[in-house]
Amino acid sequence: MIRGTAEAFRRSRASRREMTLPEVLLWQQLRKRGMGHKWRRQHPAGVYSLDFYCHAARLCIEVDGEAHDRGDRPQRDARRDAWLEAQGIVTLRIPATDVLRDLDAVLRGIVAHTAERAPLHPPATPGGPPPRDKLGEE
């Protein structure tokens, strides 16, 4: 599991209380449906706070509002995405307007990305019990 700094933990905790409407709508669906995986909201990673994170898929979802197009935000987002990529985490950026317009389509896209990155049932641990279909065979 990727860890965050103490400052990122504080920022993440505060951000959970101040989520935007698109983030709240998406979180309700991720939490309810889950798509077979556990999702975390406002998860601290390094010095960053990830909007949504699935450890099994090593997938970060960022809901971007219009502020992400202004000033130095595009460069900051690029640096952040590069850092996450170096950690083996893929960032999926979703415009907030897409969440508000067609949440089902956004969820279908997330399901597709998650399925690509993580199997629903990970392989058994080496040395662990045999798969159920192999039990009783000698």
Side-chain angles (χ1 to χ4, degrees), residues 27-125:
W27 174 241
Q28 288 173 339
Q29 295 304 309
L30 289 174
R31 191 168 87 180
K32 182 170 42 172
R33 295 184 193 176
M35 279 76 84
H37 298 287
K38 181 178 179 172
W39 289 89
R40 299 170 180 273
R41 67 184 168 131
Q42 302 302 329
H43 179 72
V47 297
Y48 304 107
S49 180
L50 313 180
D51 286 351
F52 304 101
Y53 177 65
C54 176
H55 178 69
R58 311 270 303 155
L59 179 65
C60 164
I61 299 173
E62 290 296 312
V63 178
D64 289 347
E66 64 181 48
H68 284 266
D69 296 332
R70 295 188 191 145
D72 69 338
R73 286 304 295 261
Q75 293 84 10
R76 287 174 39 199
D77 288 346
R79 279 193 306 272
R80 169 196 171 115
D81 292 351
W83 184 85
L84 288 168
E85 188 175 328
Q87 309 306 310
I89 299 170
V90 169
T91 302
L92 178 60
R93 293 196 168 273
I94 301 172
T97 54
D98 289 359
V99 174
L100 295 173
R101 278 191 207 129
D102 195 353
L103 182 56
D104 286 332
V106 168
L107 290 169
R108 285 191 301 273
I110 292 170
V111 167
H113 277 86
T114 305
E116 284 176 17
R117 305 255 326 142
L120 185 55
H121 302 288
T125 310

